[in-house]
Amino acid sequence: MSKKTALITGITGQDGSYLAELLLEKGYKVHGTVRRLSSPNYSRIESIRDQVTIHDADLCDPLSLYNALEKSKADEVYNLAAQSFVATSWQQAILTGDMTGVGVTRMLEACRIVNPKIRFYQASSSEMYGKVVETPQKESTPFYPRSPYAVAKLYGHWITVNYRESFNMYAVSGILFNHESPRRGIEFVTRKITDAVAKIKAGKQDFLYLGNLDAKRDWGYAKDYVEAMWLMLQQDVPEDFVISTGETHSVEEFCELAFSRAGLDWKKYVKIDPRFVRPAEVDLLLGDCTKAKEKLKWKPKTSFKSLVNMMVDSDLAHQGLM
């Protein structure tokens, strides 16, 4: 039996790097796309760089997507590339809509034309629930997006459903709740906190400025969540799934645990800055992943406390403190 081949858009990101490692362990040939930048950042895939094939491609450029599919001969496509930072989406709403939303259509259309038998995974987001109408949120919960990012993700979600129903393609969305790791981008609040903890501990930073400490999120470990992505493409019938931990914690709780891990009192260092308060806030996200547990036999393995400790320890090590 020949090896399966996967193409991961956004392979150099947090999720892309963990997914690439998982697929290599499972014997896949792994290809990935990166946008042409003056100095691309391969740090997250440095350890597997010689085991993956990289293609220059951009979700805003259809021809580059066709070329990547033709060259890779992919059996599975994991669409993880996006403008993925919520705060930026208000400043760059049109770019976010084009890349994070319409970009999904370009990728699906490329798959349909090059090989409609490709199995397609779309990275949907819990941010689509936004101003939640029920708690916890499950696959049938109505969406109420509260940012240009969330609106774009919702377009990507529904166009994936549309291609599945219109063209009988194996196309699914994983509605992933917040998932973090030491590889999380520095602009995201969890990594912003753990990086600040390490720098404060090292005497390189005095304070940490945040927005809404009361916002609650369902935080899991990215490495656990990429396994769910893979499982979604191994089923007989294509379906969408919520992936979450079923627990919710506030930004304040995250701060308390993170600073405590470094022997610090968070209240001495955290200050509120109105610049970091969203124009339209998402107050509470809490996922119900019962369907994933039953049908995919998937469940989260990493506790909230373990996740926070892992991220703090990694950033302390970056500062030479571990």
Side-chain angles (χ1 to χ4, degrees), residues 120-144:
F120 179 88
Y121 171 85
Q122 166 59 15
S124 285
S125 167
S126 59
E127 287 284 330
M128 300 186 307
Y129 293 118
K131 191 175 181 179
V132 299
V133 299
E134 68 176 2
T135 298
Q137 296 88 51
K138 49 186 182 289
E139 290 80 6
S140 59
T141 301
F143 299 114
Y144 193 145

Side-chain angles (χ1 to χ4, degrees), residues 217 219-220 245 247 249-250 253-255 257 302-309:
R217 295 291 184 270
W219 276 301
T245 68
E247 293 180 14
H249 298 275
S250 66
E253 283 179 78
F254 198 106
C255 284
L257 268 179
T302 309
S303 72
F304 176 66
K305 185 174 182 179
S306 297
L307 173 64
V308 176
N309 288 347

Side-chain angles (χ1 to χ4, degrees), residues 11 20 30 44 49 86 95 108 121 126 138 143 149 161 172 175-176 186 221 227 234-235 240 247 260 277:
I11 193 171
V30 177
R44 293 185 182 94
R49 182 70 182 83
V86 175
L95 171 70
L108 280 163
Y121 171 85
S126 59
K138 49 186 182 289
F143 299 114
Y149 167 78
V161 173
V172 302
I175 306 172
L176 271 58
I186 204 77
Y221 180 30
E227 183 185 13
Q234 312 313 311
Q235 306 305 302
D240 304 327
E247 293 180 14
S260 174
V277 176

Side-chain angles (χ1 to χ4, degrees), residues 47-60:
S47 63
I48 56 167
R49 182 70 182 83
D50 60 346
Q51 299 174 65
V52 300
T53 305
I54 299 296
H55 305 270
D56 290 328
D58 192 312
L59 290 178
C60 297

